[in-house]
Amino acid sequence: MSLVVCRLPKAGLGNHLFPLMNAMVFAKLNNLPVIVVGYHHLKIGPYLRKEKSKRKYKGYFKFQKNILGEWFDKCRIKLKSRNFETIKEHPVEKLDQQALKGKVFLFEILPRYHDYFIHLKPHRQLVIDLLNDIINPDILKEVNRLPAPVIGVHIRMGDFRK
């Protein structure tokens, strides 16, 4: 059986969502299982910059496992990759069953500035549904309790000098 793998890059939460959603949408369209790895990176930047918030997102998503569980998933991927052809960054589209056989589809690259949403635009509602499905229910309850913002802006203050 084929497999979709999302290897999260060493980046912030927002940038994790691009390869994650590409992998999830591709998997959903083609009825394939998804393995997500790379969410146990130690980020030393916030410690070096002595930031108050270390931005740890442990437990935010349903797919997250402990370090041992992620290691087990990485071993499964290596075993599959030996016998299967690895296809990197395949366009997000539905394929016929013959094209899917014996392949590992890998998503790990951040998109370029000019085409962030190019593969996701046709699947906007599916992206919204999948994102809501993978977020931990406790986090969703907390978010739903908050009033809707008029404008939402993400500024990582660690990038600025005082």
Side-chain angles (χ1 to χ4, degrees), residues 15-155:
N15 284 324
H16 280 174
L17 294 176
F18 288 106
L20 180 62
M21 284 297 108
N22 280 315
M24 293 282 194
V25 170
F26 182 83
K28 184 73 170 182
L29 292 174
N30 293 291
N31 199 26
L32 294 173
V34 181
I35 295 178
V36 181
V37 295
Y39 46 84
H40 280 294
H41 290 293
L42 175 64
K43 295 172 179 69
I44 62 168
Y47 294 97
L48 294 175
R49 292 186 294 267
K50 298 179 183 170
E51 295 176 14
K52 290 179 186 174
S53 170
K54 304 300 186 248
R55 295 187 304 277
K56 295 178 183 174
Y57 306 110
K58 182 180 177 187
Y60 277 36
F61 298 100
K62 292 178 185 175
F63 59 77
Q64 291 176 316
K65 299 175 183 164
N66 60 27
I67 292 173
L68 187 61
E70 185 178 7
W71 178 82
F72 180 71
D73 280 346
K74 287 178 181 179
C75 292
R76 282 179 44 204
I77 293 166
K78 283 185 181 182
L79 289 172
K80 280 260 191 196
S81 297
R82 287 182 186 167
N83 302 325
F84 286 21
E85 177 185 2
T86 300
I87 309 291
K88 293 184 177 186
E89 307 302 325
H90 193 281
V92 178
E93 61 190 8
K94 182 163 178 50
L95 301 176
D96 63 42
Q97 290 300 314
Q98 195 60 32
L100 292 173
K101 284 189 178 178
K103 294 185 174 74
V104 173
F105 295 92
L106 177 63
F107 294 88
E108 63 182 348
I109 297 175
L110 293 171
R112 304 277 183 231
Y113 286 115
H114 66 280
D115 65 355
Y116 271 147
F117 301 98
I118 194 161
H119 297 296
L120 298 175
K121 279 182 186 177
H123 310 286
R124 185 175 190 275
Q125 189 58 50
L126 181 57
V127 168
I128 292 168
D129 295 341
L130 288 171
L131 187 57
N132 283 321
D133 285 345
I134 65 170
I135 295 176
N136 185 324
D138 294 336
I139 301 293
L140 278 179
K141 284 179 193 172
E142 189 177 325
V143 168
N144 288 332
R145 272 188 248 140
L146 299 172
V150 176
I151 297 174
V153 179
H154 172 75
I155 300 172

